[in-house]
């Protein structure tokens, strides 16, 4: 689902988004194919997942800027791009994070360490005995050695 949200939006999706925005603002033009094509061109790298009802409502709930009621007016294509960009970046970051998690999950695990068998234990014991004998022979014995 996250990768699907990262795909480019279909033209009809942008057209529908803009048509619904037109009902929420005061100076909207009739969203024709020509107007929608301009928005689609300017916002070409905004992924499909950013064109949601939440981002449309977020446009209308913007605080006034310098006394100008931005959210109650029809956006210029560049204004809409700036508005949708943080949503697009959040989607990209989420997809990148999910891909990292998947990569970690798919990474081959180290083989489970097996317990030494009797032959390996006997070899290690014999080596330890040889080292102890050598230390005793060279005077390397300490007070605490056995």
């Amino acid at each position: 689902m996250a990768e699907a949200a990262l795909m480019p939006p279909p033209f009809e999706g942008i057209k529908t988004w803009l048509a619904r925005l037109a009902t929420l603002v005061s100076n909207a033009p009739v969203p024709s194919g020509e107007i929608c094509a301009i928005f689609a061109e300017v916002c070409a790298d905004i992924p499909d997942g950013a064109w949601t009802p939440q981002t449309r409502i977020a446009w209308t709930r913007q605080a006034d800027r310098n006394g100008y009621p931005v959210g109650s007016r029809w956006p210029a294509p560049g204004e809409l791009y700036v508005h949708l960009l943080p949503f697009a970046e959040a989607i990209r970051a989420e997809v990148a994070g999910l891909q990292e998690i998947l990569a970690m999950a798919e990474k081959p695990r180290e083989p489970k360490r097996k317990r030494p068998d009797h032959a390996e234990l006997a070899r290690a014991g014999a080596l330890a005995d040889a080292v102890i004998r050598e230390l005793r022979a060279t005077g390397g014995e300490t007070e605490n050695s056995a």
Side-chain angles (χ1 to χ4, degrees):
M1 288 173 47
E3 286 178 337
L6 198 55
M7 299 301 292
F11 180 76
E12 287 302 314
I14 294 173
K15 189 173 180 179
T16 300
W17 193 96
L18 290 170
R20 290 186 178 153
L21 179 64
T23 65
L24 301 173
V25 297
S26 61
N27 64 334
V30 175
S32 67
E34 185 178 320
I35 290 172
C36 295
I38 293 168
F39 278 90
E41 182 179 348
V42 171
C43 299
D45 63 337
I46 300 295
D48 192 32
W51 298 88
T52 65
Q54 292 81 7
T55 60
R56 192 170 40 250
I57 295 300
W59 172 265
T60 65
R61 293 182 178 169
Q62 291 182 77
D64 291 357
R65 270 185 258 148
N66 299 327
Y68 183 76
V70 176
S72 66
R73 307 288 184 178
W74 183 255
E79 287 178 310
L80 184 60
Y81 178 83
V82 169
H83 171 71
L84 293 175
L85 188 58
F87 298 98
E89 293 301 325
I91 292 168
R92 290 181 185 113
E94 183 176 343
V95 169
L98 290 170
Q99 288 171 338
E100 287 176 20
I101 290 169
L102 285 174
M104 289 187 312
E106 293 171 353
K107 184 179 177 182
R109 297 179 184 210
E110 291 184 24
K112 207 173 189 181
R113 187 169 178 248
K114 64 178 187 168
R115 300 193 75 154
D117 61 14
H118 290 293
E120 289 175 291
L121 290 173
R123 278 193 303 276
L127 179 61
D129 288 341
V131 170
I132 291 170
R133 280 192 303 277
E134 185 178 327
L135 286 173
R136 286 185 180 156
T138 60
E141 189 173 348
T142 64
E143 293 176 17
N144 294 332
S145 60

